[in-house]
Amino acid sequence: MKNNAAYRAYEKLEKGYDVVVARIVETVSARSSPRHNGATMAFVADGRNWGTVGGGLLEAKTTEECMKTFKTKEKSHLCHFNLDGLDTEALDMACGGEVDILIEYYSADNPNALKLPMQLEETALIFGAGHVGLALDPVLRYIGFNIIVLDDREEFANHDRFPHAKDVVVIDSYEDGFRTITTDENTYIIIVTRGHKGDYAILKSALKQNHAYIGMIGSHKKTATIFDMLRRDGVSEDALQTVYAPIGERIFAETPEEIAISIAAQMIRVRSGHGNRL
């Protein structure tokens, strides 16, 4: 996912705006800090801002500091916030702990001074353009994924059905599903085809691709059947253990829309660095 705050900071500097950037650089003794190290906000002088450092009072105080910085033009200063409500000087946020936020001022006269890291774009490959694939498209776009939909049925895989997807691909067969697709460590592969045969073919190929995540829809019985087929094909147990199947967080989802939310939640967990199959 493109770091929106970083992207906007560079964009506004190039357009002649001064920019103030707030970035979490340390969290201390936090039971559950609102955001992780590196979480970023970018501001311009009229108050417009992008990104988040956690919301609530922390974000309000950070915003105050950033707006003051447009007046002082102080190049860099560190703000320490206590999030523990037991302290009379604290911000009374339930997550607790302490957060250090670095506030930096950048002048449009020197845009090259900004060295904020940009995250690579993340792509969701949705194999299967049926009800679940259709429900996944808007949910995953909303949380920052580029969407590519692939199906062997032209009546399902088309831009009328997925007008906002980055690409919609009609493939000859699921056995050949990755022929025109290049993947990398920021690729999330979602397998929601219309049957066991398609799921098996895509999963077999997916395990050979670079990826951040592979999830396959289906019951525990279906998953066991397909895994047994892949074992007979020589796929290792370690490789199979990387697959999220049945796909999605266990929220007892039933409708396509609920299933889409459960899948998105699982992908968020993996993206944040907390992925596992528990």
Side-chain angles (χ1 to χ4, degrees), residues 85-149:
L86 297 179
D87 190 324
T88 57
E89 298 298 322
L91 298 185
D92 196 19
M93 293 181 70
C95 50
E98 301 173 46
V99 175
D100 287 339
I101 295 183
L102 182 66
I103 310 291
E104 298 174 300
Y105 171 81
Y106 295 95
S107 170
D109 294 333
N110 186 21
N112 293 329
L114 180 62
K115 304 296 182 183
L116 203 60
M118 294 281 284
Q119 295 180 357
L120 296 175
E121 292 187 341
E122 291 163 330
T123 297
L125 301 180
I126 303 175
F127 285 94
H131 296 310
V132 174
L134 187 63
L136 271 168
D137 171 45
V139 175
L140 295 183
R141 279 191 291 105
Y142 190 76
I143 58 174
F145 285 91
N146 287 320
I147 306 299
I148 299 178
V149 181

Side-chain angles (χ1 to χ4, degrees), residues 89-227:
E89 298 298 322
L91 298 185
D92 196 19
M93 293 181 70
C95 50
E98 301 173 46
V99 175
D100 287 339
I101 295 183
L102 182 66
I103 310 291
E104 298 174 300
Y105 171 81
Y106 295 95
S107 170
D109 294 333
N110 186 21
N112 293 329
L114 180 62
K115 304 296 182 183
L116 203 60
M118 294 281 284
Q119 295 180 357
L120 296 175
E121 292 187 341
E122 291 163 330
T123 297
L125 301 180
I126 303 175
F127 285 94
H131 296 310
V132 174
L134 187 63
L136 271 168
D137 171 45
V139 175
L140 295 183
R141 279 191 291 105
Y142 190 76
I143 58 174
F145 285 91
N146 287 320
I147 306 299
I148 299 178
V149 181
L150 306 99
D151 200 293
D152 60 356
R153 302 165 292 175
E154 189 173 359
E155 64 271 26
F156 284 82
N158 58 72
H159 285 284
D160 288 337
R161 189 169 166 83
F162 295 91
H164 303 294
K166 181 178 181 181
D167 200 5
V168 182
V169 181
V170 180
I171 55 180
D172 293 332
S173 70
Y174 285 117
E175 286 77 8
D176 204 24
F178 285 92
R179 183 173 62 83
T180 62
I181 298 295
T182 299
T183 66
D184 59 28
E185 66 277 7
N186 294 291
T187 301
Y188 290 65
I189 301 169
I190 302 120
I191 304 171
V192 288
T193 79
R194 65 184 181 278
H196 288 52
K197 184 177 179 182
D199 291 346
Y200 160 74
I202 289 298
L203 181 54
K204 184 177 180 179
S205 296
L207 287 166
K208 301 174 184 177
Q209 314 299 319
N210 290 327
H211 63 273
Y213 167 92
I214 300 175
M216 183 182 71
I217 200 167
S219 65
H220 288 283
K221 181 178 179 180
K222 170 191 163 181
T223 298
T225 298
I226 291 178
F227 278 19

Side-chain angles (χ1 to χ4, degrees), residues 36-48:
H36 52 76
N37 289 356
T40 304
M41 293 187 75
F43 294 79
V44 291
D46 63 10
R48 284 178 292 162

